[in-house]
Amino acid sequence: MGNTSSQPKNKTGKKVVSQKIENAKKTNILSLTEHKLEEIPDEVFHLTSLRTLDISKNKLQRLGNIGRLTELKTLNCDDNSLHSGAIAPISKLVKLQSLSLGKNRLEDPANQSFPTLPSKIKTLKIHHNSFSSIPKQIVDPKLRLLEKLDLASNNLASIPAGISNLVALTELILDNNVIVSIPSELGEVKKLKALSLRNNYIQVKSTSFTDANPQPIPASVFEDTLLIDLNLHGNPMTNTQLNTFEGFDAFLERRKKKKTTALTGGALVSMSVCGLE
């Protein structure tokens, strides 16, 4: 398709976009955020050496020939109107390391075809969409380099066992969903350091845990990972209940060591007790 409707309506806006595209030929960095674009201008697809592209906060419903930009390492598509089928060309971006698709119209795999993701991705942000389950493509064993995954503000009720495939994952953000428990497989993600579960539905009916009343955060998550930052603020449970969890002592001891390191010049870590009262 042509780019007549892809350009801003006013002459000043068109000139700014054209100038940015011209500059990107030299810098390999292009930001077209907040230009009211309905399509990506055709000229962008000729920037085959482009490394960084920000097309956030527009009105995009498709990504056009973005698959031609095979040198891209960073792509920000936040705050558009993209559905899962429309992001299919992303599969061709074989060098992509950072992808952000927050605030779009991505839905469940049953309703839309979610694409295979490039295997070199390290950061994936898909917050503020409409998933009630995590697509299998997001926990694909091929994503062995994925370090940060943000799925906040969807409608997720659970985490798939396949989460264990993400062997490099260090940070998992699942705030503002409807999650009631965590699978034991998350304990297999050995490098996990930060887990945020703010404003979910994790609760404790009784601290006498059994097969019929399992611990909602398994001991393996506390004992077998590197977890030092856990945020449970806004869940219907108390700090007293959390302290009865098997493995929680190991978590506290690891945090204590980290705090000592921080006081002697290491990286600072938030030491509030998981956001609970």
Side-chain angles (χ1 to χ4, degrees):
M1 295 181 68
N3 65 352
T4 303
S5 64
S6 66
Q7 295 281 7
K9 304 300 181 185
N10 62 80
K11 291 182 179 180
T12 301
K14 290 181 180 179
K15 185 176 181 180
V16 170
V17 168
S18 295
Q19 186 60 55
K20 286 185 173 183
I21 292 173
E22 191 63 29
N23 291 343
K25 293 178 182 178
K26 302 174 184 177
T27 65
N28 294 322
I29 298 171
L30 177 59
S31 175
L32 295 177
T33 184
E34 294 188 275
H35 279 292
K36 301 180 180 179
L37 298 176
E38 296 177 7
E39 295 179 8
I40 301 173
D42 287 344
E43 296 91 335
V44 173
F45 305 131
H46 297 293
L47 302 174
T48 52
S49 296
L50 203 63
R51 300 286 202 281
T52 299
L53 176 60
D54 185 348
I55 46 177
S56 62
K57 299 181 180 179
N58 283 293
K59 301 178 180 180
L60 301 173
Q61 296 185 37
R62 59 184 64 85
L63 294 178
N65 292 317
I66 203 169
R68 293 179 182 176
L69 306 180
T70 53
E71 296 297 317
L72 268 186
K73 291 188 175 182
T74 301
L75 176 60
N76 186 349
C77 302
D78 284 353
D79 206 351
N80 279 287
S81 298
L82 299 168
H83 58 80
S84 294
I87 64 173
I90 288 174
S91 298
K92 299 178 181 179
L93 304 178
V94 295
K95 295 186 179 181
L96 198 65
Q97 296 180 10
S98 177
L99 173 61
S100 192
L101 290 162
K103 295 185 179 180
N104 275 285
R105 297 180 179 177
L106 307 181
E107 295 181 0
D108 286 339
N111 300 325
Q112 301 180 6
S113 178
F114 198 85
T116 300
L117 295 170
S119 61
K120 291 187 178 182
I121 286 209
K122 293 182 178 180
T123 299
L124 179 59
K125 300 178 181 179
I126 315 188
H127 54 87
H128 291 90
N129 279 285
S130 300
F131 291 116
S132 59
S133 63
I134 298 177
K136 62 181 181 180
Q137 293 86 347
I138 292 177
V139 293
D140 191 320
K142 294 179 180 178
L143 300 183
R144 299 184 62 84
L145 302 178
L146 186 62
E147 297 175 355
K148 179 176 180 177
L149 176 58
D150 184 351
L151 285 161
S153 299
N154 279 277
N155 194 35
L156 300 173
S158 63
I159 303 169
I163 194 73
S164 62
N165 292 327
L166 304 180
V167 294
L169 197 67
T170 61
E171 183 176 358
L172 178 58
I173 303 172
L174 294 163
D175 301 337
N176 304 309
N177 281 290
V178 290
I179 294 168
V180 297
S181 65
I182 303 300
S184 59
E185 286 82 1
L186 187 60
E188 298 176 31
V189 183
K190 305 298 184 183
K191 295 183 179 181
L192 186 68
K193 293 182 179 180
L195 174 61
S196 190
L197 288 157
R198 293 182 304 134
N199 302 319
N200 277 279
Y201 290 86
I202 298 173
Q203 59 184 312
V204 177
K205 296 178 180 179
S206 168
T207 54
S208 297
F209 298 118
T210 62
D211 289 342
N213 177 44
Q215 186 172 299
I217 303 177
S220 60
V221 175
F222 297 118
E223 296 175 339
D224 299 336
T225 70
L226 299 176
L227 191 66
I228 54 173
D229 192 350
L230 173 63
N231 195 333
L232 294 168
H233 178 77
N235 283 273
M237 63 180 293
T238 67
N239 182 45
T240 300
Q241 292 172 328
L242 181 61
N243 273 275
T244 67
F245 283 20
E246 181 183 351
F248 190 66
D249 286 345
F251 166 74
L252 289 177
E253 183 61 27
R254 190 162 53 246
R255 281 166 60 92
K256 182 179 179 181
K257 290 180 180 178
K258 187 66 177 180
K259 185 175 182 179
T260 301
T261 302
L263 290 173
T264 57
L268 287 172
V269 171
S270 172
M271 287 295 153
S272 61
V273 185
C274 304
L276 297 174
E277 295 181 359

